[in-house]
Amino acid sequence: NFHALLAFRDEAELEKVKGAVHRLVHRAIALDGTCTGEHGVGIGKKEYLVEELGEGTVSLMRAVKRAIDPMDLLNPGKVIEARALRFLAKVDFPPDICVPRPIFHDETNYVLIMEDLGDLPSLNTVILQNQLQANSTFGPREVATALGTGLGVLHSIQVDKLMRDGFKNPTSHDVIYEHAVKVIGPRISSQGISDAEMLASRVYQSFEDTTRLVNGQEGDEPANVQPVFSMGDLWPASVLVDRENLRLGLIDWEFAHLDLPLSDIAQLLSYLNLYTLAYSSIGWLPEFLHVFITSYISHSQKLKVAWLSPTLSLFMLRHAVILHGREMINVATEKDWGPEGPSRAELVNAGCRYLRLAGNDTDELMIDELSKDTIFGPFCLCL
């Protein structure tokens, strides 16, 4: 499996590099090799498939694809992200929030070109490198307020049938199940936690309920549960911090789909909660957390979002608590916290605490305990 890195300085050299890659691929195929390696065929190598496999084989592949995926929902060639960016271009975000504009989309050849927001640090980098200054023009409070308000706008978008159909994203669903849900049981058990099976069952059930509700299937939940437009994979690296222009960029929309209210927020807060527990040297982070949460809630109240209604709020809160705990466990397991940080077992246990507080249903949701919690206390106060 041969990996090549070919550097170039200008357009003329780029053309030479393209020629070299073209010859390299042809040589590999001539030697009974393949045009690609362990990642499968992507945008750059699909043109060589016929040469390697023959027109008959590629035609068969296309026929199988059309048979099992007639609507092109599986790996749809940037369709979801392009559709999301076109849709979001019409959303009236605050001036300190920007989303890349789509410039060109070729669905046939799987090409999406979008606006470049610049060489900006992500919120993840800004936090881990302790780059925000409390007394600066675009400091922790300003960034947290802008992010909370912007996400409040995003999650207030009215969802109709056209959006339900247009943003069905089974690829996202399957990836989340495989890498965030199915692994929860083993990850909790690996830390010797006695009630691992019960906690994992709450995660599985919550995921099944969410999937059913987003797909419009009825159950025992309150009536009129409406999904919201969701980034689907919101973490601190999905947010760019532009301190020069005093704005934030929201990027990475390939997992965009409809989800239950507070799902994006619960996932983002799982990282911020862990960072607060692990990096006490970042003195501004607790205040950042509080300002972000209260800004999101206050703007959601201003916009009169549906999930704040009395019949829905407890139900939505419980699912958010479970998702938050789930993602804390996943991130705690996947990340290296270094020799000076807390142990992985401590952080996994912190995530398990939320799964316990969620109870088996809304009647068992431990509101009194959650109301004292840094993350969910402000949500409990607004119920």
Side-chain angles (χ1 to χ4, degrees):
N1 190 2
F2 181 76
H3 291 260
L5 173 63
L6 305 179
F8 59 91
R9 292 170 294 191
D10 51 40
E11 291 297 322
E13 289 190 354
L14 173 59
E15 292 306 312
K16 293 180 180 179
V17 166
K18 288 180 178 179
V21 171
H22 188 70
R23 294 192 299 275
L24 184 148
V25 172
H26 283 297
R27 178 66 63 87
I29 293 174
L31 294 171
D32 289 332
T34 176
C35 66
T36 185
E38 71 272 20
H39 299 299
V41 176
I43 295 169
K45 301 289 179 62
K46 60 179 293 190
E47 64 181 281
Y48 301 107
L49 267 185
V50 172
E51 177 183 351
E52 179 180 329
L53 302 175
E55 182 61 53
T57 300
V58 175
S59 295
L60 177 61
M61 289 177 171
R62 292 192 182 107
V64 172
K65 164 76 171 172
R66 286 193 297 270
I68 64 175
D69 184 24
M71 297 181 66
D72 195 30
L73 295 173
L74 305 175
N75 192 20
K78 314 294 185 185
V79 170
I80 292 293
E81 186 163 19
R83 191 174 291 159
L85 294 179
R86 285 196 300 269
F87 172 75
L88 293 167
K90 304 172 185 176
V91 175
D92 187 20
F93 283 109
D96 49 14
I97 293 290
C98 63
V99 175
R101 292 178 297 105
I103 296 172
F104 174 78
H105 179 220
D106 182 345
E107 186 173 334
T108 303
N109 291 304
Y110 307 104
V111 175
L112 172 61
I113 300 174
M114 67 186 80
E115 177 187 11
D116 184 359
L117 298 183
D119 185 16
L120 302 171
S122 71
L123 180 60
N124 202 56
T125 298
V126 165
I127 291 173
L128 296 182
Q129 296 184 8
N130 201 3
Q131 293 180 353
L132 288 182
Q133 303 298 323
N135 57 355
S136 62
T137 307
F138 204 49
R141 290 189 66 87
E142 292 77 18
V143 171
T145 301
L147 184 57
T149 303
L151 291 174
V153 171
L154 175 68
H155 298 147
S156 70
I157 297 170
Q158 293 294 314
V159 172
D160 56 22
K161 185 180 185 303
L162 187 63
M163 283 187 67
R164 281 183 182 269
D165 294 339
F167 286 100
K168 286 182 178 177
N169 195 343
T171 301
S172 170
H173 173 276
D174 294 346
V175 169
I176 292 170
Y177 177 74
E178 287 294 326
H179 298 283
V181 177
K182 192 168 80 171
V183 297
I184 279 294
R187 285 180 170 178
I188 299 175
S189 298
S190 70
Q191 302 302 323
I193 295 171
S194 59
D195 55 349
E197 184 176 349
M198 180 270 290
L199 298 178
S201 69
R202 289 181 181 174
V203 171
Y204 304 148
Q205 188 61 55
S206 177
F207 184 75
E208 290 178 4
D209 291 344
T210 300
T211 302
R212 180 168 40 74
L213 287 167
V214 169
N215 289 331
Q217 301 168 355
E218 295 183 359
D220 298 329
E221 299 78 14
N224 301 319
V225 174
Q226 290 295 323
V228 299
F229 191 80
S230 169
M231 289 186 72
D233 187 26
L234 178 57
W235 69 297
S238 307
V239 182
L240 300 182
V241 182
D242 186 349
R243 282 169 284 188
E244 181 178 347
N245 296 302
L246 311 182
R247 65 177 189 171
L248 302 176
L250 300 180
I251 61 171
D252 296 340
W253 295 89
E254 63 268 26
F255 281 93
H257 64 284
L258 302 186
D259 208 337
L260 291 187
L262 301 182
S263 294
D264 272 347
I265 299 299
Q267 180 171 3
L268 178 60
L269 286 173
S270 67
Y271 285 86
L272 299 181
N273 197 355
L274 286 169
Y275 290 170
T276 303
L277 295 172
Y279 306 122
S280 58
S281 60
I282 308 176
W284 50 264
L285 193 51
E287 183 186 18
F288 179 94
L289 256 176
H290 179 73
V291 173
F292 166 65
I293 293 168
T294 54
S295 296
Y296 179 78
I297 291 173
S298 62
H299 203 69
S300 297
Q301 290 172 324
K302 179 180 177 181
L303 297 173
K304 298 180 179 179
V305 296
W307 64 264
L308 282 168
S309 68
T311 56
L312 296 179
S313 52
L314 279 178
F315 174 78
M316 298 303 178
L317 179 64
R318 179 175 179 271
H319 278 277
V321 170
I322 292 174
L323 193 153
H324 182 76
R326 182 194 87 190
E327 288 307 294
M328 283 188 72
I329 293 165
N330 285 326
V331 178
T333 304
E334 294 166 0
K335 184 174 170 57
D336 180 7
W337 299 95
E340 303 299 323
S343 69
R344 179 168 287 124
E346 289 178 81
L347 297 177
V348 168
N349 267 294
C352 288
R353 170 178 171 268
Y354 288 99
L355 300 184
R356 295 186 185 101
L357 292 176
N360 289 317
D361 52 36
T362 53
D363 291 335
E364 294 185 7
L365 184 65
M366 300 182 190
I367 288 291
D368 288 342
E369 287 298 313
L370 285 168
S371 65
K372 305 171 190 174
D373 183 64
T374 303
I375 302 298
F376 289 101
F379 290 98
C380 293
L381 289 176
C382 77
L383 297 181

